[in-house]
Amino acid sequence: MKKVAIFPGSFDPFTKGHEDIVLRGLALFDELIIAIGHNNQKNNRYFEVDKMVGYIEETFKSFDNIKVIVYNELTADLAKKYDAKFLLRGLRNTTDFEYENSISQVNRYLNESLESVFLITSPKFASISSTIIREVHKYKGDVNEFLPYKID
Ligand code: ADP
């Protein structure tokens, strides 16, 4: 059976750190679904969701086993819909660990056939965070170094 994993996140924006997790995840899974959690009603993103879908699709255009979607429901339910048995997440530090630990317990409760898989960040991407990139971009700093695509 095909091993399908969901890589969920806000991806506001999608960074080289995220790209690294996806590329390493491909060694473990047959198919990866990059799922951007977004609620249309709450306009709380910095980078427009449709643009981000385009940037991520552009990044992985040479892979036919990577799909990009936007969702607004429980990740545990999304996984059932796509018959995904794995949830891929990245870990940078103990703060990530505390958060991921709680989320994965809840996800296990909601969907016990869903296994969370964590990849430790590569050192060169460990300090890249979407929050810092948004901050730099807001004050007109150049963020392209941290992104796997060029933003306009
Ligand atoms: P969320 O809002 O769900 O935390 P993010 O878009 O911030 O979504 O991150 C998605 C996933 O990618 C999370 O598991 C996060 O820990 C991981 N991640 C974020 N930045 C990096 C990085 N530089 N290296 C490795 N993993 C990362």
Side-chain angles (χ1 to χ4, degrees), residues 88-137:
L88 177 64
R89 297 283 287 178
L91 287 178
R92 285 165 296 186
N93 47 42
T94 52
T95 311
D96 275 356
F97 174 78
E98 300 281 345
Y99 180 63
E100 297 296 337
N101 187 28
S102 322
I103 296 207
S104 77
Q105 304 300 349
V106 175
N107 279 328
R108 188 191 300 276
Y109 163 76
L110 294 171
N111 177 352
E112 62 179 18
S113 64
L114 187 60
E115 192 67 80
S116 296
V117 175
F118 304 96
L119 294 182
I120 301 285
T121 184
S122 305
K124 62 181 170 176
F125 302 123
S127 56
I128 300 182
S129 85
S130 298
T131 309
I132 292 174
I133 291 175
R134 286 197 298 274
E135 205 61 17
V136 172
H137 188 264

Side-chain angles (χ1 to χ4, degrees), residues 30-129:
D30 301 309
E31 198 179 314
L32 261 180
I33 298 163
I34 301 171
I36 308 180
H38 176 59
N39 181 344
N40 261 330
Q41 254 64 47
K42 286 195 217 157
N43 198 7
N44 55 359
R45 285 185 68 88
Y46 181 81
F47 291 98
E48 245 179 71
V49 75
D50 292 343
K51 274 203 165 173
M52 197 48 60
V53 168
Y55 289 140
I56 303 172
E57 282 176 346
E58 166 74 18
T59 303
F60 299 111
K61 61 173 184 283
S62 57
F63 296 86
D64 58 7
N65 54 349
I66 297 179
K67 196 183 281 176
V68 186
I69 62 159
V70 177
Y71 75 108
N72 181 20
E73 62 182 307
L74 288 172
T75 310
D77 290 340
L78 182 79
K80 285 181 194 157
K81 213 179 267 178
Y82 282 88
D83 217 5
K85 300 275 182 275
F86 303 94
L87 207 58
L88 177 64
R89 297 283 287 178
L91 287 178
R92 285 165 296 186
N93 47 42
T94 52
T95 311
D96 275 356
F97 174 78
E98 300 281 345
Y99 180 63
E100 297 296 337
N101 187 28
S102 322
I103 296 207
S104 77
Q105 304 300 349
V106 175
N107 279 328
R108 188 191 300 276
Y109 163 76
L110 294 171
N111 177 352
E112 62 179 18
S113 64
L114 187 60
E115 192 67 80
S116 296
V117 175
F118 304 96
L119 294 182
I120 301 285
T121 184
S122 305
K124 62 181 170 176
F125 302 123
S127 56
I128 300 182
S129 85

